[in-house]
Amino acid sequence: MQYNKRFNEFISEKEKWAHLIWMFAYRSNGVNFADLLRMRWDHIRGNKYLMFHRKKTETTRRNNRKEIIVPLTDKLKDIIEQVGNKKSPFILGLLPVDYTDTYFDNKCHKVRQEINKCLTILSKRLKLSVPLKLKTARETYATNLKRAGVPTSQIGEMLGHSNSIVT
């Protein structure tokens, strides 16, 4: 997916925020939105790494949970600075501390829909051949690594996959 990386003509703050969230997901090893929504400030280690576990593997891989390690680049730090809510333990600040699974699922669905709606509008304006969606951040991340010659096993590890067959 190629587009002008300097594009900054957003029609609303909501659209700009949606774009930043897409970039946040992409630059965080293609993290899926559920994990991004749950990401906490204390997942940042030494201002060098962002370390977290995938929500998806909490119940399926209890004995073999792998921590995903994301290098905190200057660009990623800048994005976090723009979207982060320092008043909340969660980076995006969209969850209460004592959220329930039902609340999380509903919030995740609602916010994902809002973001994808803004990304669709942005994609049309940019005339992208593949529309931006939150899931394309993950797919684009993996595709770019593959095109750069990174072995599938390493890509899978970065994505938090249990084995290369999944990747």
Side-chain angles (χ1 to χ4, degrees), residues 28 31 36 45 51-53 55-56 58 63 66-67 74-75 77 81 85-86 89-90 105 107 112 117 131 142 150 154:
S28 298
V31 65
L36 191 62
R45 308 285 164 76
M51 301 169 82
F52 62 94
H53 291 95
K55 179 175 183 3
K56 182 178 178 179
E58 280 182 345
N63 298 327
K66 294 180 183 173
E67 197 163 40
D74 288 340
K75 288 182 181 182
K77 288 178 191 176
E81 188 65 33
N85 178 349
K86 297 277 187 176
F90 300 97
D105 291 342
K107 185 69 162 185
R112 183 185 296 121
K117 184 177 176 183
V150 176
Q154 193 174 350

Side-chain angles (χ1 to χ4, degrees), residues 62-133:
R62 287 188 194 132
N63 298 327
N64 188 21
R65 290 182 69 205
K66 294 180 183 173
E67 197 163 40
I68 296 180
I69 302 168
V70 178
L72 271 176
T73 63
D74 288 340
K75 288 182 181 182
L76 183 54
K77 288 178 191 176
D78 181 54
I79 291 167
I80 291 171
E81 188 65 33
Q82 291 182 66
V83 300
N85 178 349
K86 297 277 187 176
K87 295 177 183 175
S88 171
F90 300 97
I91 293 175
L92 296 181
L94 300 175
L95 295 174
V97 176
D98 57 349
Y99 69 86
T100 64
D101 287 342
T102 301
Y103 180 89
F104 177 83
D105 291 342
N106 291 337
K107 185 69 162 185
C108 190
H109 177 74
K110 182 181 179 194
V111 175
R112 183 185 296 121
Q113 272 189 319
E114 290 172 6
I115 292 170
N116 281 334
K117 184 177 176 183
C118 288
L119 292 173
T120 297
I121 293 166
L122 184 59
S123 298
K124 286 178 182 174
R125 209 164 62 250
L126 293 173
K127 299 177 181 160
L128 299 178
S129 59
V130 178
L132 291 175
K133 298 279 185 189

Side-chain angles (χ1 to χ4, degrees), residues 13-31:
E13 284 301 311
K14 205 173 183 181
E15 187 179 90
K16 180 180 178 182
W17 188 79
H19 179 260
L20 285 167
I21 297 301
W22 192 94
M23 294 301 295
F24 190 0
Y26 173 80
R27 293 189 174 279
S28 298
N29 290 23
V31 65

